[in-house]
Amino acid sequence: MSDATFHSPVLSPLLAALAPEPAEPVPSADDDVVEAYSFNTGLMVLMMILYASLGHKIAARTKYVGEGSAACMLGLFTGLVVLTMQRYLTESSLHQLLTFNPADFFTYLLPPIIFYAGISVKKKQFFRNFASIATFGVLGTYIAFAVIACVLYGFSKLPNVLNFSDCLALGVIFAATDSVAVLQVLKQDRSPLLYSLVFGEGVINDATAVALLRAVQALGKDIKLQSTTVLTIFARFLYVFGASLVVGLTFGLGTAVLLKMLKSNSAPQEVALIGMLAYLSYLCGDWLGLSGIVALFCCAVTISHYALHNVSSLSRVTTVSAFQTLSYVSEGAIFIYVGMDTLDPLKWQNTYLGEALWLFFVLLVLLMVGRAAFVFPISFLHNLWSREKLAKREMVVIWWAGLQRGAIAVALVYYYFDPFGMAEDSHRSTIIATTLILVLFSTVVFSAATKPLLEFMLGPDLADDGTIRRRVSGRTRSGKLQHNPGQYTAAPLYTVVTMDPNDEVCHWQGHTILFWDYVHVILSIFCLHFVLCLTAS
C-alpha cells in the first residue's frame, strides 16, 4: 500500500485534528546549572567592577580603610542584598553564593598572587636578608603554631570542646598571617629592610602553614599526644617544604632552558609559556602531596632571575603587568568572598554561639601572644648577625603586620574541617564560624588601626615647614605626582603631597577624608553588631 493512502486530502485534516498537541520542551538540568553559574559569576564580576572603581578611592581618602577591608565590606553589603532576595533564589543557589569554596581558592585565586609575589620580589634585598626572612617565616610560624596548639590543648580537657587534632589544626590555621594591610601602607623604597622582612615572611608563612597542615593531616584525625608527635610533625614538614623547593626550582630552570632554546620573538607565546609552566609547578606540587605554594614561589623567583632574561623586553613587561592585574583581581575577589561567606545562614544554624564566642576571645589573645613569642627574639637575633639593624618601633610594626588573618585562614579551615562545604556537624560549623568572625574582626578593626599605628611608630604626619601632609590619591591638583622624602629615613610613608591648611581645596578634601572616616567607623560597628545578632538568632 502506498503512502498516498495515508496522506489523502480527505484523511489528512481529520488525522491532524485527532493528533495530540506536541508537548512543550522541558528545560534540562544542564540549563539550570548554566543559568545559576552565569548569575553567580555575573554578580561577582559586578562586585569586582565596584571594587576596582571605588576600593582604591575609599582607601586613599581615609586612613582607617584599606583596600582589603573595603572589599570585605563590599562583600558584607552584597551578602545582605542576597539575603533580602533569598525568596527568589533556590536554597542551593543561595548556598553557592554565600559559601567560600576552598577548591576554587587554591586552584584559581591563590596562584596568581603567589606567582606575582615571586616575580616582583626585589631579589637583592630579599636574598640579603633571606636568613632573617626564613627564620621569621619558618621557625616563627612553627613557634606560633606550637603556642596556639598547646594552649588550646589545655582547654581540650573540658568536655565537648576540642580534641587534640582540632588543637593542632587550629594552631596551624591561625599561624597563617595576612600582612596585606601593612604592605599597602609600607613603601619599599622608603624602608627596604622592613618591607622585605614583612613581605618575605608573609609569603613564606603562607607556604609554611599549608605544609604544616598537610603534615598534621597526614597523622589522621585520632592523634594522641606523645613524645614523638612534635618531632614527627616537624620532620614531615621539612620533607614537604624541601621537596616543594626542589619541584619549584626544577620547573623554573626548565622554563629558562626552554625559552632559551625556542628563541621566540612572540610576546604572547613567551608569556603563555611562562604562565602555564609556573602554574604546572603549582599543580604538580599539590598532586604530589607537597606544597604548591612553596613550589610556585620558588619557581617564580627562579623565572625572575633566569628565564625573564631569555625573553624580549616586551614579554618581560607584559608578564609582570599581566600577573599584577591577575593578582589584584584575585585579592579583591578573595576579600569579597570572605565578606559574603560570613553571612551564610546555613552555617550559623548549626553553630553553638557560646562556644564560638569564648573560642574567639581565646584565639584573639593567642594571636597576639604567639606572635610576640617569636617576633621580638628573632628580631634581636637579626640585630646580632646583620649589619642592617631593626629599631624597636620597627619590631612592633613586624609584630602588628602578622596579627591580621585573611583568606588563607578561611581556606585552611574549610580545607581541613569541611572540604566539600556541606558540613552539618555543629562542632565543625562552630569552628568555621569562629574563624570567620576572627578574620572579619581582624580585617576590619586591625586594618583600621594600621595606618594610624604606622604613622605613630614610624614618624609624624607633618612636614618640616609645619604644613599638613595628606595622601590624596598620590596626586596634586594639577595631576602631577609628587614625593616628599621627609626627614625620617626609616619611615615608610606613602606618596604624599604638601598642601597649605588655609587652601580652600585642602579644606574641602580634609572634610571628605573625615567623612569617610566616620562612614567606616559606623559601618564597622553595624557589621559587627549584625554578625553578633545573626549568631544569636
Side-chain angles (χ1 to χ4, degrees):
M1 187 178 295
S2 65
D3 295 337
T5 306
F6 293 97
H7 299 283
S8 64
V10 179
L11 295 178
S12 295
L14 180 61
L15 293 175
L18 295 177
E21 296 182 359
E24 295 182 358
V26 179
S28 63
D30 294 337
D31 295 336
D32 296 338
V33 172
V34 171
E35 291 179 1
Y37 274 106
S38 298
F39 176 76
N40 296 348
T41 306
L43 182 62
M44 178 52 61
V45 171
L46 178 60
M47 294 302 102
M48 287 305 305
I49 293 173
L50 292 176
Y51 165 71
S53 303
L54 303 176
H56 179 71
K57 291 184 177 180
I58 294 175
R61 282 167 169 77
T62 172
K63 62 182 179 179
Y64 296 114
V65 181
E67 291 188 30
S69 57
C72 197
M73 304 287 283
L74 179 60
L76 281 170
F77 176 76
T78 306
L80 290 174
V81 173
V82 171
L83 287 178
T84 58
M85 298 175 59
Q86 60 181 324
R87 68 179 66 181
Y88 306 106
L89 301 172
T90 62
E91 184 175 347
S92 59
S93 299
L94 182 65
H95 185 65
Q96 290 177 1
L97 275 172
L98 300 179
T99 300
F100 187 90
N101 191 330
D104 290 344
F105 171 81
F106 282 111
T107 306
Y108 305 115
L109 297 178
L110 185 60
I113 300 175
I114 300 300
F115 183 73
Y116 175 69
I119 63 172
S120 64
V121 66
K122 298 295 184 181
K123 295 183 289 295
K124 183 178 180 181
Q125 190 71 25
F126 181 81
F127 287 108
R128 178 188 298 171
N129 301 293
F130 183 75
S132 299
I133 291 173
T135 306
F136 276 114
V138 178
L139 181 61
T141 304
Y142 199 83
I143 292 174
F145 153 69
V147 170
I148 296 174
C150 291
V151 174
L152 288 179
Y153 182 67
F155 290 98
S156 68
K157 302 299 182 181
L158 300 176
N160 301 323
V161 181
L162 298 170
N163 54 41
F164 186 53
S165 63
D166 293 339
C167 297
L168 292 178
L170 288 175
V172 176
I173 290 167
F174 288 103
T177 64
D178 189 346
S179 54
V180 172
V182 175
L183 290 175
Q184 287 176 349
V185 180
L186 285 173
K187 290 300 178 182
Q188 191 168 359
D189 56 341
R190 297 303 314 278
S191 54
L193 173 61
L194 186 59
Y195 186 94
S196 178
L197 292 177
V198 173
F199 172 81
E201 185 213 350
V203 176
I204 296 181
N205 168 271
D206 294 342
T208 303
V210 175
L212 265 177
L213 190 63
R214 286 188 178 274
V216 170
Q217 193 177 33
L219 298 178
K221 296 289 185 178
D222 300 327
I223 311 174
K224 295 183 180 180
L225 180 59
Q226 299 176 352
S227 58
T228 59
T229 302
V230 178
L231 295 178
T232 302
I233 295 175
F234 191 68
R236 174 70 182 175
F237 158 72
L238 289 179
Y239 161 72
V240 171
F241 200 86
S244 302
L245 287 176
V246 173
V247 171
L249 184 63
T250 302
F251 273 89
L253 294 176
T255 303
V257 173
L258 179 61
L259 291 174
K260 189 176 182 64
M261 292 174 59
L262 287 177
K263 297 181 180 179
S264 173
N265 292 324
S266 173
Q269 181 187 19
E270 291 173 338
V271 174
L273 285 174
I274 291 173
M276 290 187 293
L277 287 171
Y279 188 49
L280 187 60
S281 71
Y282 177 82
L283 297 177
C284 285
D286 282 342
W287 179 67
L288 294 173
L290 305 174
S291 174
I293 297 178
V294 177
L296 180 58
F297 182 76
C298 180
C299 178
V301 174
T302 307
I303 287 175
S304 175
H305 193 65
Y306 295 104
L308 290 185
H309 296 285
N310 297 330
V311 299
S312 62
S313 58
L314 177 61
S315 297
R316 287 195 293 270
V317 173
T318 304
T319 299
V320 175
S321 300
F323 284 98
Q324 183 180 14
T325 303
L326 290 175
S327 175
Y328 172 78
V329 172
S330 297
E331 285 183 358
I334 287 169
F335 280 109
I336 291 174
Y337 266 126
V338 170
M340 293 177 64
D341 186 55
T342 308
L343 301 179
D344 184 10
L346 298 179
K347 186 185 297 87
W348 296 105
Q349 291 174 1
N350 301 321
T351 298
Y352 294 128
L353 178 60
E355 182 179 342
L357 289 178
W358 78 259
L359 189 58
F360 163 75
F361 287 111
V362 170
L363 287 171
L364 188 62
V365 174
L366 289 180
L367 292 185
M368 301 180 183
V369 175
R371 182 78 182 161
F374 73 87
V375 167
F376 297 104
I378 294 178
S379 298
F380 285 116
L381 289 177
H382 166 86
N383 288 342
L384 292 178
W385 72 55
S386 177
R387 295 180 179 178
E388 297 181 274
K389 308 300 181 183
L390 283 171
K392 292 182 179 179
R393 293 194 171 202
E394 293 177 322
M395 297 180 189
V396 175
V397 171
I398 297 175
W399 171 77
W400 179 264
L403 289 183
Q404 184 173 330
R405 295 300 181 267
I408 288 287
V410 177
L412 290 181
V413 76
Y414 273 112
Y415 174 78
Y416 187 85
F417 289 100
D418 187 19
F420 301 104
M422 299 295 292
E424 297 181 356
D425 180 74
S426 297
H427 178 66
R428 295 185 178 184
S429 297
T430 301
I431 293 177
I432 295 174
T434 304
T435 304
L436 291 173
I437 295 174
L438 189 55
V439 168
L440 182 65
F441 179 85
S442 64
T443 301
V444 175
V445 178
F446 288 167
S447 178
T450 295
K451 291 181 184 178
L453 177 68
L454 293 189
E455 290 179 2
F456 174 76
M457 299 302 298
L458 300 175
D461 202 26
L462 290 175
D464 296 336
D465 56 356
T467 57
I468 300 175
R469 294 162 64 192
R470 291 284 191 183
R471 181 190 184 192
V472 187
S473 302
R475 297 184 180 271
T476 62
R477 280 176 291 164
S478 61
K480 297 181 180 179
L481 291 175
Q482 281 190 351
H483 179 70
N484 190 343
Q487 59 179 346
Y488 297 92
T489 57
L493 299 176
Y494 24 70
T495 304
V496 297
V497 295
T498 303
M499 300 188 297
D500 185 1
N502 298 322
D503 187 82
E504 294 181 0
V505 176
C506 174
H507 182 71
W508 178 83
Q509 289 172 338
H511 282 294
T512 304
I513 295 171
L514 188 62
F515 169 75
W516 281 111
D517 290 347
Y518 284 128
V519 168
H520 178 263
V521 172
I522 294 172
L523 287 177
S524 301
I525 296 173
F526 170 76
C527 290
L528 293 176
H529 176 71
F530 179 80
V531 170
L532 292 177
C533 292
L534 187 63
T535 55
S537 61

